[in-house]
Each structure stands twice: as C-alpha cells, then as structure tokens.
Amino acid sequence: MLFTNQLFLNIKHLKMNKNFIIALSIILFTCCDSTVAKKTSTHVGSELKVSSNEREKNIKKGMVLVQGGEFMMGGDGPDAKQDELPKHKVFVNSFWMDESEVTNDQFQEFIDATGYVTTAEKPIDWNEIKDMLPPGTPKPHDSLLAPSSLIFFETKTEDLTDFTQWWKLKRNANWKQPFGENSTINGKGNHPVIHISWDDAQEYCNWAGKRLPTEAEFEYASRGGLKNNLYSWGNEPVNKGILKANIWEGKFPSTNETNDNFYYTAPVKSFDPNQYGLYDMAGNVWEWCSDWYHYEYYNMVANDFSKNPKGPSNSYDPMEPYSPKKVIRGGSFLCNDSYCSGFRNSMRMKSTADSSSLHTGFRTVMDVE
C-alpha cells in the first residue's frame, strides 16, 4: 500500500493534478516435547498448566495493569481542538498496557522470529493502488514508488501551516535505518521503534498475542487517574518545573534548545511515569491506536454513555476526505506548545494506516481475562 501522506509532502516537486495529491495524502507458536506424550494424562495436564502460566507471565512482562473505570473523555482547556469536543462519559474495562513504547530490541525479536518486512521497506505497487484513485490519475515518477519514509528537517520559517517545509520523503529510511542509507540503530536498542505504520504495528500485535489500544484506553491510561487534567503529569506547563517529557523546546521548527538532552527519540523510561506507572504517554513518539479517525466522532457519541468504545465504523477527515486514517496519540519529540501541543491528554492526530515517519511508533495492550 501507498504512503499516501508522504507523497502529499512532495507537492512542490510534483506536477500532478490536485486530486492525486489529496487522494494520496496523508502468532505466537507453541511447541511440545515428544516425551510429554509418554507421560500420564495427569502429568501432561500439570505440565501444560505450568507452561501456560509461564507463557502468561512472560507475555505480561513489562506491562502495567490499568484498573478500568469511568472518565470524561475529550478536550480540556483553551487549546482543545474541535475534534476533541464535546467531552463525553466513557467507561473502559481493566486492561494490561506496555509500560513504555515498543523498543527497537523488542521489534527486532519480532523480525527475527517472522522475517516480516515493514511498509517503509517495500516498494509501492502501482497496479495495486491505481484502481483506488480518481480516473485518469497519472502514474507518479518511479522515485516516488521506491521504499521510503518521512524524515524531519529543521528549517527557519514563520509559516507553520505548510508542513512540507520540514517533512521530506527519504529513500531507504525505515526502522533499522532511521535516517536513510548507512544510518543505523546501533546503541539504540532501548529507544522506541520508529518508521512504523499502523499495518506494521498490527502485525507485531498478532505475533505477540496482544493488540493496539483503543483511543479511549489510551486517553484513560494517559490521564493516570487524574480528573480533567491537561497532561499525563497534571496541569503544570510542560516547560515549568522538572523535565516531564521528550518534546521540542524552543522555536519550532528552527531551534530546539534540547534542555531534555534529546533532539530525536529518547530511551524509554527517561522521564517519570504517570500515576499508573506508564512512561512516555506524552512526547517521544506518536503512538498508533486501533480506531479509525473521524472528525465528528465525539459529536456522534456525545449523548451516549460509551462502554469500551472502539471508535467509528469509518474514517473522515474534512481536510483529506479521500484518505481514511487511523488515530495516533501522545505527541512526539517534535511537539511544542507554539505548534501542536500534541502531548495533551486529549489531543487527537491521525495518519493513513500505511504511513510511517521518524516520530511514529506504538505500544500494545491486553484484555484482562
């Protein structure tokens, strides 16, 4: 599938019709020792029970039990966007959640076990996507169909509406080569994995026996039991007091003062956890949720008491109506109060399921049996 929003970023370098730009915008295995079959049925049952308990213990390693409950979901404060309103009552069951984002080391285990190839590592198949585009859409240059992902470039500008100034497609940029050819993740095994599409995250979850959090679960977990708080740590502004998260400090997108000592990703757990014991619920990398993004979704459920909501049945983004998107949450190392305040609890962002970038990763959750 196509990096739809990535191709959109090259609009200044393409001489294509507008419809094309808009349309292209943004297993766990069990094994059995042969000797087990020779044992008595009672012994077999005991062995299986122990084995099952061990698997359950291992799969929950590094996860936090989030006790379910009721909360008001949606925007707090003057920075709340229209798609974060109105606030509405939601209940979520208890669930297990990774205490931090999935790391490069953890993702490497998945790759080693499965041989999976991420979206950013695959060339785009024009024959696969052309029938989904408006009739007459011209085939893009082959360079735009090559394996690639989005890279951030610092730039001086006063126009914060044109994100093509600081986002560019980079060929051969992917999770193991975050800045393109000859770049590596050596020494960054405990950093969050990046350049991950929603599709990639879903495949990891299938292998790990877990799933992506719903948008409601993510916001509930981010709030950490605090009511109507702006951030995962409370209401104190991000730049006051102790360092709270890996964000952009200074004038975006030209000057990062890096008071937190990190220009790009930080090792997971570099900052204090919230009251649920969860790290990096704000900043570091954006994190995929399972839900489709719909601009009007909160209005659609405003009069309901939603119990374990899984989001709308379809996606709608008025800025790019041809482009279905999934929700991403939590903000990243590029978020800044002067630009997006993406580290707010209720901030909603979105991207196409086949898109990847330098600041997008994920964490997983599990149901409580």
Side-chain angles (χ1 to χ4, degrees), residues 273-285:
N274 70 2
Q275 293 193 20
Y276 284 162
L278 298 166
Y279 296 83
D280 301 317
M281 294 301 289
N284 218 15
V285 297

Side-chain angles (χ1 to χ4, degrees), residues 172-207:
N172 297 314
N174 52 60
W175 77 274
K176 57 188 175 184
Q177 297 183 155
F179 298 96
E181 203 72 45
N182 298 321
S183 64
T184 74
I185 54 172
N186 291 344
K188 294 186 176 180
N190 62 341
H191 284 238
V193 64
I194 53 177
H195 292 296
I196 298 299
S197 70
W198 186 91
D199 295 330
D200 298 334
Q202 193 63 46
E203 288 297 324
Y204 178 95
C205 287
N206 292 339
W207 169 77

